Amino acid sequence: MLENIRIVLVNTSHTGNIGSAARAMKTMGLSSLYLVDPVSAPDGKSSALAAGAGDVLASAVTVKTLQEAIQGCALVVGTSARSRTLSWPMLSARECGAKLIQEVSQSPVALVFGREASGLTNEELQLCNFHVCIDANPEYSSLNLAAAVQTLCYEIRMNYLDERAKQFPEQTLPEYPFTEEVERFYEHLESTLSNTGFIRENHPGIIMTRLRRLFNRARPDAREINILRGMLASIDKLSEKEE
């Protein structure tokens, strides 16, 4: 699923940002990087900042136009600051991640990032189905390219993990004991602790209340209750021998 999500960088001017973006992608499990008319091709600085994501950088596809980068995609989301002059369907970062994961199972999708200094042009933004704006601090909303890539890739991954959990649910809940079985355990626990002298027969309440709270927080399952009962039984046997 994540392999069909394209991260598209348009006219990137700093080669280091390409490497940092590749690293941001790989940490979130994305690998499909498209470079549209970069000012300079990826170089040693790109590789250095890519760190362990050299494979993402090496497999990046370089094209001349945004149209080429998004060819074959049924959904394209472009990053943009909120604008009153260009009215377009807007997504939050979280909505963007959900939208991309929702549609990637049907066809490839693309998330487009613009130039470091000026972003995407109006013409490029009009090639997108939706625009996404990262709701950063309005007093200082300037994110560098790699940080923006990291933020949106994180939202993609979180939505991907949610969808995966629905498709492949974790193991079923453990079998919990019935209330009467739990009560028998508490009765056994109180009896054993009284016999060992840990609690006083005349004043068991405070200790037992705290122990109930402890085991309620832990909520042992049926097997664990049986283990605990077995432990208490072994203590009982030892106490009988000592007597």
Side-chain angles (χ1 to χ4, degrees), residues 219-230:
R219 201 188 178 191
D221 60 31
R223 289 186 178 181
E224 291 166 338
I225 284 290
N226 287 335
I227 292 172
L228 291 169
R229 292 290 303 273

Side-chain angles (χ1 to χ4, degrees), residues 35-216:
L35 306 175
V36 177
D37 189 29
V39 173
S40 300
D43 55 15
K45 189 171 184 179
S46 305
S47 299
L49 290 176
D55 54 337
V56 176
L57 191 62
S59 62
V61 178
T62 302
V63 294
K64 291 184 178 180
T65 65
L66 179 56
Q67 288 92 332
E68 292 176 80
I70 61 177
Q71 186 175 0
C73 293
L75 173 67
V76 180
V77 180
T79 55
S80 170
R82 296 188 183 276
S83 172
R84 295 180 181 179
T85 59
L86 184 64
S87 179
W88 216 260
M90 292 292 300
L91 300 172
S92 67
R94 191 142 300 173
E95 292 169 337
C96 174
K99 191 72 175 172
L100 290 168
I101 291 299
Q102 181 183 4
E103 297 199 22
V104 71
S105 59
Q106 300 174 348
S107 59
V109 298
L111 178 58
V112 184
F113 294 84
R115 299 156 189 82
E116 291 95 329
S118 57
L120 296 168
T121 65
N122 284 345
E123 290 76 17
E124 290 163 344
L125 285 168
Q126 289 176 27
L127 294 174
C128 304
N129 304 105
F130 295 89
H131 297 168
V132 58
C133 178
I134 297 173
D135 292 320
N137 178 6
E139 296 179 5
Y140 187 69
S141 59
S142 177
L143 286 171
N144 66 35
L145 178 59
V149 172
Q150 186 75 79
T151 299
L152 291 177
C153 286
Y154 171 81
E155 294 295 345
I156 290 170
R157 182 163 187 81
M158 292 302 99
N159 279 277
Y160 163 71
L161 293 176
D162 286 345
E163 285 300 313
R164 187 177 179 185
K166 293 175 186 176
Q167 295 174 15
F168 305 100
E170 294 182 359
Q171 294 181 352
T172 56
L173 288 173
E175 181 182 347
Y176 289 109
F178 296 121
T179 55
E180 57 268 27
E181 294 172 330
V182 176
E183 285 305 312
R184 283 197 291 269
F185 161 68
Y186 287 131
E187 290 170 5
H188 192 171
L189 179 63
E190 182 176 347
S191 172
T192 300
L193 295 182
S194 296
N195 290 337
T196 61
F198 184 77
I199 59 176
R200 297 179 182 177
E201 283 189 45
N202 297 332
H203 303 285
I206 296 176
I207 293 295
M208 286 307 301
T209 297
R210 290 186 177 276
L211 287 173
R212 278 178 176 267
R213 287 172 55 191
L214 185 155
F215 284 111
N216 280 338

